[in-house]
Amino acid sequence: MNNASAIELRGISKTFGSIKANQNVDLDIRRGEILSILGENGSGKTTLMNMIAGIYYPDEGKILIDGKEVTITSPKDAFKYKIGMIHQHFKLVDVFTAAENITLGMRDEKGVYNIKKINQKVLEMSKKYGFIIDPKKRIHEMSVSEKQTVEIFKVLFRGADILILDEPTAVLTPQEIRKLFDVLRKMREDGKSIVIITHKLNEVMEISDRVAVLRKGEHIATVNTSDTNEKELTEMMVGKKVDLNIERKDPVDPQPRLEIRNLTVLNKDGIKAINDISFDINGGEILGIAGIAGNGQKELLESIAGLVKKESGDIIFHNPKKNKPVTFFHKDLKKIKAMAAEGKFHYPNGERVDLKGKSNKEIVKLVNDEQILFYEDEIIDIKNKKPREIQELGIKLSFVPEDRLTMGLVGNMSIVDNMLLRSYRKGKSVFLNRKRPKDLADTIIRDLEVATPDDMTPVRRLSGGNVQKVLVGREISSSPKVLMAAYPVRGLDINSSYLIYNLLNKQKEKNVAVVFVGEDLDVLLALCDRILVLSGGIITGILEGKTAKKDEVGLLMLGNRTKETAEIADNKKSEEEVNG
Amino acid sequence: MFVNILTNAIRFSATFLYGSTGEIITEKSGHLNLGIPGVMCVGSAVGCLVEYYLVLAGVNVGFLLVLLPLLATFASGGLMGLLYSFLTVTLKSNQNVVGLAMTTFGSGLCGYMVSPITGRLHIIAPMSVHFSNMFGVAETNWFTSIFLSHGWLFYLSIVIAIVAQVVLNHTRLGLHLRAVGENPATADAVGINVTGYRYGATVIGCGISALGGFFAVMEYMGGMWDSAAYIEGLGWLSVALVIFTLWRPALSIFGSIVFAALYILGARLSVSFAMIEVLKMLPYVVTIVVLIITSIFGSKKTQAPAALGLNYFREER
């Protein structure tokens, strides 16, 4: 390894709206090295690299290549300086062959397009680098790993000396990762500079020569991998604990509300997004879910809400009915009679309810007068229930995706109409009744201080934070029994964030089981009673919110396990070995 | 009888072949141009008008009587394509809306241009000799009738279709064009000029399609003007033909003959009026059947370009 810098970044800053993605970053990429860029979500890793690759243009700062200052305004410019980036979403044409994709946009020798020659050349070049590529195979017939190989080779074929890979291992199996690393090492020997963006610590330690750590858009340090260890890197990555002063009352008598048992969920590509996990969600408690984005949080919540199919496992819902009156929620007299015969109800004085010999009219009166109470909580397996049925049971999901308008709200409709979306089934006539949704919308606007001209303004015209308030407010308004809020404060300013925290705390006091998926570890530590950490679709630890330490959570997020979870995994492994 | 019908079907097929080849080139760039019927209307009207004024001016050089109307037709189609591209590529309007608007606009414009001289337009009819029977053979046997009795515009349509097929599938230019229609973001990232390819393909495609309208009047109808609605109907069939032939110009040569045969069969056979309408409907029915079959059993190769109908914004990632 020589120490000449291929690229030097000096004082690079980039802001998107009010968010500072990168702030005054200095970074060197040397010739013939593998440099890891490590950081949490939103730490500005990808943005920084995108500026080198010509996708974004820095607001401030200089980029120097071989000591000379350059301006890179497009991917084409980047190519000129022999920089190639391999994005997480491959830029390949599905119906074209590997060779066609690799040479796309290039000029032919002597201007003659001869696919046989091109195939030949691609094959020769790929052998030289030790790639296994079938030039005639079409992209849509390839596995993810094959596609990635084509994408990497495409960049090399164009003569790139500096390769940037954005989370290249996220989509690969362990075997494929090993193969990829071999290829990367070979390229390093060839004098290429390789940058991998990642948040898997073990991979950082295994592959890279140096590690650059980013936190909240700032460059913390660059260290030699051999001089550091996982603990030190984690500390640099998550930083010191910040006291947020969020009120956290002790949970009152938390009882299991949802029991999740051996849940496995597949993602779109058929890969296990959630892999055989078990835990409880308690009423009157905020359960935080920590993890780096894409480690199964979304699939977990969506599977509970019934939006995605569960591969295996059970989800048991404890409907908190004990000593609560029976309602005509199901409008089913027969069912109530049958349940009474099983001895499930009691009168307010404690006597067992016996409906034999009572006329329907009398029963209706008893129910309406709230005289029939449950002995015990209702226990319902919601594994095979439809999303609507799950919602009607009071399990609500408010999901704030990256672009807030794709899930839950219709951008072109007003706040009132968006309220109506949730309650449309309650109307009795074919015409819409906007009165109640309007009241609700006005309450939300008032209580949550939504900044909007009026309640008929299309939601898409509101700022992001206000859209989030509407979304969360609507889910809370339906008095849920389980409230799952994913990234509810993403992109919100401090004040709005605190409003949301208070809302969640109020729900907790009402004995609602709150699930909070968040990105900011400080918030998770300050708000949640328990913190469950997901990594690669498995639980790497469940910590007490009060005693958990930031670096502890950070390590778990990066795939290390607590003693308990490691034991479970070991048991599973040995079980499998016995069975297999 | 059979030879007669087949001869006429083959001759008529050039209308659809021009229309569909032009549309295939356009669609390969990711543009779902539903304005083709309008383009063909305008093309036929402009071509006929130029022919009409040449005749009025007393021009009797066969070469000019052929070339000038043809160029005018191609140019008018190209202009329509330019308008479409400006609206969809530069202003990023919805392709379906723009396409349908172009068809309505083109059909109306065509009627407007032709209406002042409708009664006198028949003076161009004798000029159709310049367009018909290229080899000057007598239709003595089935072979000469079916293969050699057509005008040179007919043979040109086949040449264009074959050239289009070769360019699309066996040249760098075609590869880049298809990349733009399949995945414009990828094409952009490797430095292909997405805007340029989309403009170019649409303008050239519309020019070729416009020739189909002119052909129908000058060659097939022998210079007798029918109506804008008639040309528009042919245009819609050309659009359907693109799906029927799975975006392959070479296949379109045969597909267009099938469509033409079904279209004229009603008039040739002595069947009831209701039956004629049923026969006219058949091309659309077979198109739907093809769509169903390719959707269920087809591989990726038989599908439409992946970015068909989608405008490309570079900033949207």
Side-chain angles (χ1 to χ4, degrees):
Chain A
M1 199 209 306
N2 60 36
N3 280 344
S5 289
I7 300 184
E8 295 162 63
L9 304 181
R10 291 287 170 264
I12 297 284
S13 295
K14 177 81 186 169
T15 48
F16 294 106
S18 62
I19 298 157
K20 284 184 179 141
N22 283 125
Q23 238 180 315
N24 201 17
V25 175
D26 291 341
L27 187 71
D28 290 350
I29 301 167
R30 294 179 189 158
R31 293 244 170 257
E33 74 161 354
I34 298 178
L35 173 72
S36 293
I37 310 254
L38 183 68
E40 286 184 286
N41 290 105
S43 58
K45 303 172 296 224
T46 305
T47 309
L48 188 67
M49 289 303 119
N50 274 337
M51 283 189 272
I52 303 176
I55 287 169
Y56 297 137
Y57 190 75
D59 297 339
E60 278 170 47
K62 286 191 285 192
I63 300 176
L64 291 92
I65 292 178
D66 295 331
K68 268 174 271 169
E69 189 176 343
V70 295
T71 14
I72 304 174
T73 54
S74 72
K76 225 178 169 178
D77 284 354
F79 265 130
K80 203 167 71 191
Y81 299 114
K82 305 200 162 185
I83 302 165
M85 182 154 171
I86 291 103
H87 298 267
Q88 269 178 295
H89 302 284
F90 303 136
K91 292 203 181 290
L92 297 170
V93 179
D94 263 359
V95 295
F96 284 8
T97 65
E100 283 172 336
N101 266 294
I102 288 163
T103 61
L104 192 65
M106 293 172 72
R107 289 187 187 284
D108 296 302
E109 280 169 50
K110 296 175 205 158
V112 182
Y113 179 71
N114 182 340
I115 191 69
K116 271 191 195 147
K117 252 189 197 161
I118 292 171
N119 285 345
Q120 188 68 36
K121 206 174 155 195
V122 166
L123 202 62
E124 278 167 20
M125 270 277 282
S126 64
K127 274 192 188 142
K128 202 178 106 191
Y129 278 103
F131 286 93
I132 301 154
I133 289 178
D134 175 2
K136 287 183 210 157
K137 199 167 179 184
R138 289 180 193 279
I139 301 298
H140 65 88
E141 298 161 348
M142 292 185 177
S143 71
V144 185
S145 150
E146 282 177 291
K147 285 182 197 173
Q148 190 182 49
T149 311
V150 172
E151 186 82 336
I152 294 173
F153 185 65
K154 180 174 143 188
V155 172
L156 272 184
F157 192 81
R158 280 145 209 267
D161 279 341
I162 300 155
L163 281 93
I164 304 164
L165 296 99
D166 191 357
E167 294 187 28
T169 58
V171 288
L172 303 182
T173 64
Q175 291 83 353
E176 290 168 337
I177 291 174
R178 216 170 305 139
K179 249 196 273 172
L180 172 73
F181 283 0
D182 287 342
V183 167
L184 293 183
R185 286 194 193 102
K186 204 173 261 177
M187 292 196 299
R188 172 177 60 188
E189 281 160 29
D190 217 46
K192 313 262 182 212
S193 311
I194 294 149
V195 181
I196 35 178
I197 301 175
T198 181
H199 37 232
K200 292 188 189 159
L201 264 182
N202 55 345
E203 290 174 3
V204 170
M205 302 305 288
E206 188 188 335
I207 185 83
S208 57
D209 302 312
R210 293 191 306 150
V211 193
V213 183
L214 294 188
R215 185 172 73 225
K216 297 197 168 130
E218 286 177 67
H219 178 221
I220 303 302
T222 302
V223 291
N224 290 328
T225 313
S226 49
D227 301 341
T228 186
N229 55 47
E230 299 196 4
K231 195 163 181 302
E232 196 183 74
L233 287 174
T234 311
E235 275 170 11
M236 281 197 264
M237 196 173 108
V238 296
K240 289 252 154 35
K241 193 179 166 183
V242 183
D243 210 0
L244 284 172
N245 235 338
I246 301 173
E247 182 191 24
R248 170 166 54 192
K249 287 187 183 156
D250 282 331
V252 187
D253 184 29
Q255 293 292 330
R257 184 67 47 87
L258 278 175
E259 285 178 39
I260 285 130
R261 292 292 173 264
N262 305 97
L263 183 68
T264 298
V265 181
L266 302 185
N267 69 8
K268 267 183 274 171
D269 303 325
I271 297 163
K272 281 179 185 169
I274 290 290
N275 190 357
D276 194 17
I277 67 171
S278 305
F279 66 99
D280 288 345
I281 299 171
N282 296 337
E285 183 187 89
I286 298 183
L287 175 69
I289 296 187
I292 285 154
N295 275 282
Q297 299 94 317
K298 186 176 173 216
E299 286 83 1
L300 174 61
L301 296 200
E302 285 186 348
S303 66
I304 294 174
L307 296 173
V308 295
K309 223 185 109 206
K310 296 151 203 75
E311 184 66 13
S312 61
D314 288 304
I315 302 178
I316 313 289
F317 176 53
H318 294 249
N319 203 356
K321 289 285 188 184
K322 196 174 178 181
N323 299 331
K324 296 262 170 64
V326 173
T327 58
F328 275 119
F329 184 68
H330 301 291
K331 296 193 172 134
D332 197 345
L333 211 55
K334 226 191 226 165
K335 205 169 161 191
I336 291 177
K337 276 186 191 167
M339 284 168 79
E342 287 168 33
K344 292 210 163 158
F345 304 134
H346 64 91
Y347 290 115
N349 60 11
E351 207 181 307
R352 197 183 128 156
V353 171
D354 186 9
L355 296 175
K356 260 179 217 153
K358 285 203 164 58
S359 73
N360 284 355
K361 217 174 169 184
E362 281 172 302
I363 299 174
V364 171
K365 190 171 180 316
L366 279 172
V367 171
N368 284 341
D369 293 346
E370 302 188 347
Q371 293 297 307
I372 302 181
L373 307 179
F374 281 95
Y375 270 122
E376 290 295 333
D377 288 348
E378 232 181 327
I379 292 178
I380 305 164
D381 187 351
I382 60 167
K383 187 189 169 195
N384 294 318
K385 293 228 183 295
K386 296 196 185 78
R388 203 188 78 198
E389 295 169 327
I390 292 174
Q391 265 194 32
E392 280 171 354
L393 286 169
I395 302 173
K396 306 283 177 168
L397 172 63
S398 81
F399 194 92
V400 180
E402 270 109 281
D403 47 347
R404 301 174 184 92
L405 290 174
T406 50
M407 217 160 143
L409 295 175
V410 180
N412 280 334
M413 288 173 28
S414 69
I415 302 179
V416 173
D417 287 356
N418 270 299
M419 296 299 137
L420 198 59
L421 277 183
R422 264 284 190 266
S423 57
Y424 71 98
R425 263 174 275 108
K426 289 194 184 132
K428 289 200 175 68
S429 77
V430 284
F431 296 106
L432 297 175
N433 180 356
R434 283 212 172 77
K435 172 103 186 41
R436 278 228 255 143
K438 190 174 161 49
D439 291 344
L440 176 58
D442 292 342
T443 316
I444 290 176
I445 290 170
R446 201 178 49 240
D447 291 355
L448 302 190
E449 297 166 21
V450 178
T452 171
D454 56 53
D455 56 16
M456 295 307 277
T457 307
V459 168
R460 96 189 122 77
R461 288 224 207 117
L462 306 182
S463 74
N466 286 305
V467 170
Q468 253 149 284
K469 287 185 203 167
V470 172
L471 185 60
V472 177
R474 183 182 66 184
E475 302 309 326
I476 290 175
S477 71
S478 53
S479 53
K481 290 166 184 141
V482 177
L483 176 68
M484 297 184 281
Y487 312 113
V489 295
R490 182 180 271 173
L492 292 192
D493 59 52
I494 299 286
N495 283 331
S496 314
S497 300
Y498 274 86
L499 263 172
I500 302 269
Y501 302 145
N502 286 341
L503 280 174
L504 296 178
N505 265 328
K506 259 184 213 156
Q507 293 298 310
K508 165 179 151 186
E509 280 165 35
K510 283 187 195 160
N511 202 28
V512 173
V514 180
V515 179
F516 173 85
V517 180
E519 292 165 307
D520 193 328
L521 284 185
D522 289 318
V523 173
L524 280 162
L525 289 170
L527 178 71
C528 303
D529 301 302
R530 287 188 305 150
I531 298 169
L532 182 156
V533 190
L534 279 178
S535 174
I538 53 170
I539 299 174
T540 48
I542 299 179
L543 306 172
E544 285 298 318
K546 272 195 173 156
T547 53
K549 297 215 173 53
K550 203 168 170 183
D551 55 349
E552 194 181 3
V553 180
L555 272 173
L556 294 176
M557 280 168 62
L558 296 168
N560 290 25
R561 291 156 180 257
T562 57
K563 248 191 214 155
E564 298 84 22
T565 52
E567 270 167 27
I568 293 171
D570 286 345
N571 290 341
K572 220 182 273 169
K573 217 177 186 182
S574 50
E575 246 173 60
E576 270 166 20
E577 272 160 16
V578 170
N579 294 336
Chain B
M1 175 72 181
F2 175 72
V3 170
N4 181 281
I5 291 177
L6 192 60
T7 304
N8 274 292
I10 289 179
R11 184 171 301 161
F12 193 32
S13 72
T15 299
F16 301 121
L17 188 54
Y18 277 119
S20 66
T21 305
E23 176 71 355
I24 289 170
I25 294 171
T26 309
E27 289 199 9
K28 281 289 181 188
S29 78
H31 269 164
L32 177 66
N33 186 358
L34 295 178
I36 287 298
V39 169
M40 286 171 73
C41 284
V42 170
S44 65
V46 169
C48 290
L49 279 182
V50 171
E51 191 79 59
Y52 173 78
Y53 286 109
L54 285 175
V55 173
L56 272 194
V59 177
N60 58 3
V61 186
F63 175 67
L64 289 179
L65 285 168
V66 170
L67 190 67
L68 291 179
L70 214 60
L71 286 178
T73 305
F74 188 86
S76 65
L79 269 178
M80 291 282 280
L82 201 61
L83 175 66
Y84 176 91
S85 307
F86 177 69
L87 287 167
T88 57
V89 179
T90 307
L91 302 183
K92 320 243 186 261
S93 315
N94 183 301
Q95 294 188 12
N96 298 323
V97 176
V98 171
L100 290 172
M102 293 254 304
T103 287
T104 321
F105 165 71
S107 172
L109 184 67
C110 169
Y112 171 74
M113 285 194 289
V114 171
S115 66
I117 50 161
T118 318
R120 284 164 280 148
L121 198 54
H122 57 81
I123 64 165
I124 64 169
M127 298 306 122
S128 68
V129 297
H130 297 301
F131 293 93
S132 56
N133 207 345
M134 180 183 179
F135 300 112
V137 295
E139 295 186 25
T140 46
N141 59 34
W142 65 269
F143 183 81
T144 49
S145 294
I146 291 175
F147 293 108
L148 302 175
S149 70
H150 311 293
W152 65 274
L153 266 181
F154 170 81
Y155 298 107
L156 179 66
S157 75
I158 292 180
V159 171
I160 290 179
I162 292 171
V163 169
Q165 177 81 23
V166 172
V167 170
L168 281 176
N169 294 314
H170 302 284
T171 66
R172 179 64 61 186
L173 185 77
L175 185 74
H176 288 183
L177 180 64
R178 283 186 292 135
V180 168
E182 290 288 344
N183 193 335
T186 297
D188 194 24
V190 294
I192 295 173
N193 183 346
V194 175
T195 307
Y197 270 91
R198 286 204 158 176
Y199 262 91
T202 309
V203 169
I204 291 170
C206 284
I208 292 171
S209 291
L211 295 181
F214 184 63
F215 173 88
V217 179
M218 259 345 261
E219 221 275 39
Y220 185 70
M221 307 282 287
M224 298 306 288
W225 176 257
D226 187 310
S227 68
Y230 172 71
I231 307 283
E232 194 189 322
L234 302 180
W236 285 123
L237 276 169
S238 305
V239 175
L241 185 60
V242 173
I243 303 163
F244 180 74
T245 59
L246 309 173
W247 293 268
R248 284 168 204 172
L251 207 57
S252 205
I253 297 172
F254 303 99
S256 62
I257 296 171
V258 173
F259 271 39
L262 291 170
Y263 193 83
I264 63 171
L265 210 55
R268 305 281 157 160
L269 300 173
S270 46
V271 290
S272 68
F273 279 120
M275 207 51 213
I276 290 175
E277 296 303 322
V278 170
L279 284 171
K280 276 191 183 171
M281 200 166 70
L282 278 178
Y284 298 104
V285 174
V286 293
T287 303
I288 293 171
V289 170
V290 167
L291 265 181
I292 293 171
I293 292 171
T294 55
S295 313
I296 298 173
F297 304 105
S299 72
K300 278 222 163 192
K301 279 184 86 176
T302 60
Q303 302 297 322
L308 184 63
L310 304 174
N311 291 335
Y312 175 60
F313 302 80
R314 180 182 278 180
E315 275 78 30
E316 198 176 78
R317 281 173 200 285

